[in-house]
Amino acid sequence: MVMMLGMDPISIIGGTVAVALFGILAGLVFMGVERKFAAHMQARIGPPIRQPFRDVAKLLSKDSIVPENAIPLLFNMAPVLALASSIVILLYIPLGGFLPVLAGYGDLILVMYLLTVPALALVAGGFASGSPYATVGSQREMVTMMSYELPLAIAVIAIAWRLAAAGIADPFSLATIAGTATGITIWSVAGPLGIIGFVLLLIVLAWVTPAELSRVPCDTPEAETELCGGLLVEYSGRNLGLFYLAQGVKTVAMAALAVALFLPWNISWYVALSPNAALVADFAFFLLKLMVVIFFSVSVIRVGMARFRITHVVSIYWGYLGGLGLLGLLCVVLDASLGGGGML
Amino acid sequence: MSEDSKNKATFNVPIGPVHPALKEPILFTFKMDGELVEEVDFAPGKCHRGIEWMGMRRNPVQIVHLTDRICGICGVSHSLAFARAVEQIAEIEVPERAHYVRTIIAEYERLQSHLLWAGVAAHELGFDTLFFLAWRVREESMDVIEYLTGNRVNYGIVQVGGVRRDFTEDQFPRIEASLQYYEDIAAKLLKLFLEDKTIQIRCKQCGVMSKREALELCTVGPTARASGVAMDVRSDSPYAAYGDLDIAPVLPHHYLGLTNGDVYDRIVVRLLEVVQSVDLIRQCLANMPPGEVLWEKKYPKILAACKKATGEAVGRVEAPRGECLHYVRMDGNPSPQTWKVKASTYSNQLSWLKMLKGEQIADIPIVVASIDPCMSCTDRVAVVRDDRTDILTKADLHRLSVEKTRRLAQWS
Amino acid sequence: MSFLPAIPEILRQFLKRPATNIFPAKYLPPSVTKYLQSVQEGKTSIHPPVETPPNFRGKILYDRDTCIGCKLCIRVCPANAIEFLPETKRVRIYVTQCIFCSQCNDACPVDALHMSDEFLLADEDRYSENMIVE
Ligand code: SF4
Ligand code: SF4
């Protein structure tokens, strides 16, 4: 079941507000849940799930301190930019049975670009802080960004290309990829080889997520024990609270992107439901999928290993994950040219 | 990174005295070339507490419990070293059983200290899971120590002339249970720490110190052993019950087949020493002779014996971090005339300069942690005049020690 | 996963009970003082701390009737936590100064000093009634 939010300005604004609220709320809830996951994996009880809400409330109620040798304008703008751009990403990603708010205005390639904006905001904020820790953190963030772009791009392009090869119109649109309207997914167009390829690409995307979100093992830009928080070291109060929110929204966006690309199924495709019940069921299922994605690509990875050096980030993402991505792409290409299975 | 960092200007990064990577106060100044450390300097002395000064106004029976508080982790090593020095001066014969009790507690302390370190090292690497795991495993030894001595951290078990509590037969099952626990979990710990690829890429060939450098820099303990120096006070000049036990220094090649002297080897040595400690405690339990545990039960007599004593002595002990040394000089007064503590970190800290050079910023925390530094044990002097700290050069130090030796010679 | 041995370990742990000791409560109460108050009023129950072993060294106990005023405890106390009261020929122990070494217990010729197993001794006043034993 699909609900179009329409394209008139009013519903776009309404949709944007709704998505922003959803992104912020879900971001905080998922961060709380994620902390619980991590805690239980480490044999701890961990903080209550509402802890991120308390943290943000406390941060927002505190003064923001601008360091003496910071560039105030840039320093104060960076967190706003980070949060805003994180929300904008969400506007292009289908959320359960809902089509993206801005479905007609951009596609996957745009999302890829948008994903770099919060990171760039962090970098700008870090350089503007005027602290050596933040500077090193910003340099590292840029390097990290460049490292994960390649595997991410490979994964995205492989999918769109396979859909195009299967003769589907508008393959770069996320709504098409998620099959929200058509019920056609990458898994149904691909043959066995293509499925192997997509599994490889799924692994690649699962590994890009921690880098995108600056979590262990790729939290080098923040690296508490090395840089005491790196590019966030000088941030406090409201500004830090905004970054915190942005981090939550970004987590949801990354997970939603993974869901849209690789786990697009909706309950309403298989069970006949009334339109409204279908929306609710699909959305609940979507949240469940987000949780699963976050569990594996954020919690398990960050709890299960040590932090990389920045040089490792480069070599692992360009070398191993880039290689894995290309292998996946090769499988997908072979699959398409051999005319493997599929319903079209 | 390394290519384009050539044209970057160098910049200074201060780390400390308060920094999340440092568990104790010390100030490092790094001259960085991009991500690479070009030069290192460090300034200790941020945590001077004047314990020696306090001690010289107390009698040895009091001091022995002050020594427990020199270090929060290896307290019993300090009290043991101090007690041994005083016992030598006062010519006190420690009962055989007391030696075994001391050894068992010292080995439990090594167990908990090494596990604590392993956890801290994992945390420095950003691997908090192992940090939680190591500290959870450590808890077992803390519980046994509390069960045996009455307190988890400041054991207060060593006394001049023996120990204050005996271990009874009905306590042995609890000890045995903990040894069994560690034997069961050792393989898992070794696997989690040593076979993990992310730990390997972070620690291998990082913070390297060759055997020659380890000897030249006079490093001690696991830091020296990880570079292949077969040196351990417990086997080189046995004290307490170590002479009766089967003990040999743990070296990384026992596990790896070769010695690299890197951070990874330091993890290997410390984890293997956990296994060794379990074995030593087993040996102690099996061989413990019966008898008294304190040379003299009446405190006035101990106090009198300490007061009568004149002379000087050095007590050496292999603390978890390396050799710990107490120099005591008694001159017939209730309190010692001089009491000097050399903690293991004092000997190890200069190796930082060597290890850190050329490493990346990312490696600073783990390399600094790899010698298991304990600044509050080490900081024995802090010269602050007119709000500014003096830096004493080699010549100054030489002059000061000559003066002090003359002063001491005059007194006696 | 032989190169990441922690992953199977954490997944296994995820299904097990956490090891955290939930003393005094599972989550930090919004206000600790209010929480302690309601515990005192018997409205909430505190999760008990880990039991102390026998011969634990907690807050000191003093039996002033047995004490003979010999001052030996003062001579062996490393923290100078014991004060002699000349008028009554008895001693006073400052718990905030005491380092719980129990050496005075061992030294006392008439066994007038003991260690209890009380260790929750936080107080706002160094000289409150609870912090002085005499
Ligand atoms: S327990 Fe130790 S510190 Fe406390 S009063 Fe007795 S001797 Fe002094
Ligand atoms: S040692 Fe015992 S008897 Fe003597 S003063 Fe102290 S408490 Fe009293």
Side-chain angles (χ1 to χ4, degrees):
Chain A
M1 175 58 215
V2 180
M3 195 181 93
M4 292 293 282
L5 278 165
M7 283 305 147
D8 57 290
I10 308 270
S11 52
I12 287 187
I13 292 171
T16 308
V17 172
V19 167
L21 281 180
F22 162 75
I24 289 173
L25 271 179
L28 291 179
V29 171
F30 280 122
M31 289 214 328
V33 173
E34 197 276 333
R35 283 170 80 168
K36 264 293 196 222
F37 285 156
H40 278 263
M41 282 187 240
Q42 296 171 331
R44 294 183 293 123
I45 291 179
I49 288 177
R50 64 178 178 283
Q51 189 63 38
F53 288 91
R54 288 180 173 169
D55 291 350
V56 167
K58 184 162 185 178
L59 285 174
L60 293 183
S61 71
K62 290 196 158 194
D63 279 350
S64 262
I65 296 167
V66 181
E68 236 169 56
N69 43 359
I71 308 164
L73 184 68
L74 204 51
F75 185 81
N76 288 324
M77 238 171 61
V80 181
L81 189 61
L83 179 58
S85 54
S86 310
I87 292 174
V88 170
I89 304 172
L90 266 188
L91 297 180
Y92 289 94
I93 300 178
L95 308 170
F98 297 102
L99 274 181
V101 177
L102 296 178
Y105 296 95
D107 55 14
L108 197 50
I109 304 293
L110 181 67
V111 169
M112 267 182 59
Y113 278 106
L114 281 176
L115 273 174
T116 59
V117 178
L120 284 174
L122 270 169
V123 169
F127 277 126
S129 316
S131 146
Y133 294 129
T135 311
V136 175
S138 293
Q139 288 169 0
R140 287 182 175 186
E141 176 71 43
M142 289 198 299
V143 174
T144 312
M145 226 157 64
M146 288 183 256
S147 319
Y148 67 69
E149 279 312 312
L150 174 72
L152 179 65
I154 294 176
V156 164
I157 285 170
I159 290 168
W161 185 84
R162 184 66 187 84
L163 288 178
I168 292 176
D170 206 3
F172 278 99
S173 148
L174 264 160
T176 315
I177 293 172
T180 322
T182 53
I184 299 168
T185 69
I186 51 165
W187 305 99
S188 53
V189 296
L193 202 55
I195 292 195
I196 296 174
F198 285 139
V199 169
L200 292 179
L201 294 172
L202 177 63
I203 295 172
V204 169
L205 193 71
W207 275 88
V208 168
T209 311
E212 181 75 58
L213 299 175
S214 293
R215 307 305 291 262
V216 175
C218 301
D219 69 333
T220 24
E222 284 164 31
E224 181 235 344
T225 47
E226 297 161 21
L227 301 177
C228 2
L231 27 74
L232 293 180
V233 70
E234 296 294 347
Y235 276 101
S236 55
R238 188 179 52 88
N239 282 341
L240 188 60
L242 290 179
F243 269 131
Y244 197 108
L245 289 177
Q247 171 80 2
V249 176
K250 221 168 114 181
T251 308
V252 173
M254 267 316 275
L257 182 66
V259 168
L261 291 181
F262 289 104
L263 311 168
W265 306 285
N266 272 340
I267 289 188
S268 58
W269 297 355
Y270 306 104
V271 186
L273 290 168
S274 72
N276 285 334
L279 267 186
V280 173
D282 285 347
F283 198 66
F285 187 55
F286 169 73
L287 291 180
L288 186 73
K289 285 187 287 186
L290 284 189
M291 199 128 86
V292 171
V293 168
I294 289 176
F295 180 82
F296 283 104
S297 64
V298 179
S299 301
V300 172
I301 292 182
R302 93 173 163 105
V303 171
M305 63 194 68
R307 180 187 305 126
F308 295 142
R309 277 183 211 134
I310 188 69
T311 42
H312 295 143
V313 174
V314 178
S315 56
I316 286 170
Y317 278 80
W318 276 88
Y320 292 95
L321 289 176
L324 202 62
L326 287 175
L327 194 67
L329 182 64
L330 191 70
C331 289
V332 173
V333 170
L334 282 178
D335 177 58
S337 47
L338 296 177
M343 42 192 275
L344 290 170
Chain B
M1 263 311 265
S2 51
E3 301 302 291
D4 55 20
S5 64
K6 292 258 163 31
N7 358 333
K8 265 184 212 140
T10 55
F11 58 99
N12 286 330
V13 179
I15 291 196
V18 181
H19 184 281
L22 303 171
K23 304 301 169 242
E24 305 213 20
I26 179 167
L27 172 64
F28 284 93
T29 322
F30 291 96
K31 199 162 143 209
M32 304 298 307
D33 174 10
E35 286 267 341
L36 293 185
V37 176
E38 203 162 73
E39 262 172 53
V40 202
D41 193 10
F42 69 91
K46 312 280 176 208
C47 193
H48 178 51
R49 294 167 299 164
I51 284 201
E52 288 161 336
W53 186 91
M54 285 163 77
M56 285 187 267
R57 278 141 192 87
R58 284 167 167 80
N59 60 49
V61 173
Q62 292 175 303
I63 300 177
V64 94
H65 295 294
L66 277 189
T67 55
D68 247 349
R69 279 135 183 103
I70 291 178
C71 179
I73 314 297
C74 53
V76 86
S77 306
H78 285 281
S79 33
L80 197 48
F82 176 78
R84 274 169 42 75
V86 175
E87 283 151 11
Q88 286 170 52
I89 303 172
E91 288 167 1
I92 293 172
E93 180 94 25
V94 177
E96 191 65 5
R97 189 175 174 85
H99 280 319
Y100 278 82
V101 173
R102 286 177 171 188
T103 309
I104 291 173
I105 289 296
E107 287 310 316
Y108 264 115
E109 179 177 84
R110 195 178 318 279
L111 258 175
Q112 61 94 346
S113 173
H114 282 350
L115 288 170
L116 174 131
W117 176 84
V120 171
H123 172 68
E124 305 289 14
L125 290 170
F127 204 158
D128 282 347
T129 309
L130 290 192
F131 161 68
F132 291 118
L133 179 80
W135 281 40
R136 178 149 56 99
V137 171
R138 167 181 182 247
E139 208 55 21
E140 175 74 6
S141 54
M142 304 294 283
D143 285 347
V144 174
I145 289 170
E146 187 185 33
Y147 176 69
L148 294 175
T149 70
N151 200 317
R152 280 162 52 91
V153 178
N154 297 119
Y155 319 147
I157 193 161
V158 176
Q159 181 58 277
V160 175
V163 289
R164 290 176 47 205
R165 282 191 192 184
D166 193 5
F167 300 162
T168 51
E169 282 295 330
D170 59 312
Q171 288 178 319
F172 282 19
R174 177 74 187 85
I175 304 181
E176 183 51 43
S178 76
L179 297 181
Q180 195 58 51
Y181 172 78
Y182 282 116
E183 260 164 18
D184 293 345
I185 208 148
K188 182 164 128 186
L189 278 181
L190 286 172
K191 183 168 129 206
L192 287 177
F193 273 93
L194 300 178
E195 287 174 20
D196 191 285
K197 193 77 194 152
T198 49
I199 294 190
Q200 287 183 3
I201 57 174
R202 288 297 307 273
C203 296
K204 283 199 167 172
Q205 297 308 325
C206 159
V208 181
M209 180 169 63
S210 68
K211 182 172 179 180
R212 192 196 160 94
E213 286 159 342
L215 285 169
E216 281 174 357
L217 291 165
C218 300
T219 53
V220 293
T223 313
R225 288 197 282 277
S227 293
V229 185
M231 179 177 73
D232 189 328
V233 184
R234 292 176 293 172
S235 51
D236 297 346
S237 52
Y239 54 94
Y242 290 110
D244 304 345
L245 305 179
D246 181 16
I247 174 172
V250 173
L251 296 172
H253 71 249
H254 295 162
Y255 181 82
L256 300 165
L258 78 170
T259 305
N260 297 316
D262 50 14
V263 172
Y264 188 76
D265 281 3
R266 280 167 223 140
I267 303 181
V268 171
V269 166
R270 290 204 175 87
L271 287 182
L272 291 188
E273 285 189 9
V274 168
V275 181
Q276 185 192 37
S277 290
V278 172
D279 174 51
L280 290 176
I281 299 172
R282 273 257 156 72
Q283 292 184 35
C284 283
L285 290 180
N287 298 331
M288 233 165 136
E292 285 298 320
V293 290
L294 196 53
W295 154 81
E296 172 57 67
K297 279 224 169 67
K298 298 220 164 32
Y299 273 70
K301 287 208 176 145
I302 306 182
L303 288 171
C306 293
K307 188 179 167 188
K308 268 214 315 278
T310 49
E312 57 180 355
V314 165
R316 286 170 73 203
V317 160
E318 178 78 14
R321 291 159 180 73
E323 182 198 50
C324 153
L325 181 153
H326 282 229
Y327 167 80
V328 181
R329 188 185 172 99
M330 307 279 295
D331 58 355
N333 280 316
S335 11
Q337 186 196 15
T338 307
W339 171 35
K340 186 86 204 121
V341 181
K342 193 229 68 166
S344 353
T345 307
Y346 182 80
S347 310
N348 283 335
Q349 57 188 357
L350 280 176
S351 59
W352 275 329
L353 300 183
K354 159 74 195 71
M355 290 179 196
L356 285 169
K357 215 171 217 166
E359 296 296 344
Q360 297 188 14
I361 293 192
D363 299 323
I364 292 171
I366 184 63
V367 171
V368 168
S370 73
I371 71 160
D372 201 356
C374 183
M375 297 324 296
S376 48
C377 316
T378 307
D379 285 350
R380 295 271 74 84
V381 202
V383 187
V384 182
R385 240 180 249 126
D386 311 330
D387 271 350
R388 122 194 110 79
T389 50
D390 283 344
I391 293 176
L392 300 179
T393 61
K394 188 178 167 192
D396 294 330
L397 287 174
H398 183 250
R399 179 176 47 79
L400 285 171
S401 28
V402 169
E403 278 171 17
K404 176 139 189 182
T405 314
R406 294 232 171 89
R407 247 185 357 256
L408 283 173
Q410 268 168 19
W411 275 340
S412 47
Chain C
M1 279 286 174
S2 66
F3 62 102
L4 288 175
I7 302 252
E9 190 61 37
I10 55 173
L11 291 178
R12 231 173 288 140
Q13 179 59 47
F14 187 67
L15 303 172
K16 288 194 212 152
R17 276 171 66 88
T20 315
N21 169 28
I22 50 180
F23 169 75
K26 189 171 176 194
Y27 294 128
L28 179 73
S31 155
V32 177
T33 32
K34 274 199 200 121
Y35 173 71
L36 289 179
Q37 247 169 24
S38 73
V39 169
Q40 245 161 22
E41 289 160 12
K43 279 190 211 139
T44 344
S45 69
I46 213 164
H47 191 275
V50 179
E51 249 180 78
T52 53
N55 295 325
F56 177 78
R57 306 200 307 263
K59 184 183 163 186
I60 198 158
L61 298 174
Y62 173 50
D63 180 359
R64 54 185 289 119
D65 298 331
T66 337
C67 174
I68 49 171
C70 70
K71 293 202 214 170
L72 192 54
C73 51
I74 299 179
R75 278 175 68 200
V76 299
C77 176
N80 294 341
I82 313 182
E83 183 184 29
F84 188 67
L85 307 171
E87 319 85 67
T88 51
K89 298 223 162 33
R90 291 295 178 269
V91 296
R92 172 188 290 157
I93 302 135
Y94 294 92
V95 177
T96 46
Q97 187 94 350
C98 172
I99 57 174
F100 305 93
C101 67
S102 85
Q103 185 143 266
C104 49
N105 299 205
D106 296 3
C108 179
V110 293
D111 218 12
L113 293 164
H114 293 277
M115 299 312 252
S116 68
D117 56 8
E118 192 187 343
F119 64 90
L120 294 169
L121 297 171
D123 206 315
E124 287 152 353
D125 178 12
R126 285 180 148 253
Y127 302 106
S128 73
E129 209 177 314
N130 200 21
M131 292 291 117
I132 291 179
V133 177
E134 57 181 346

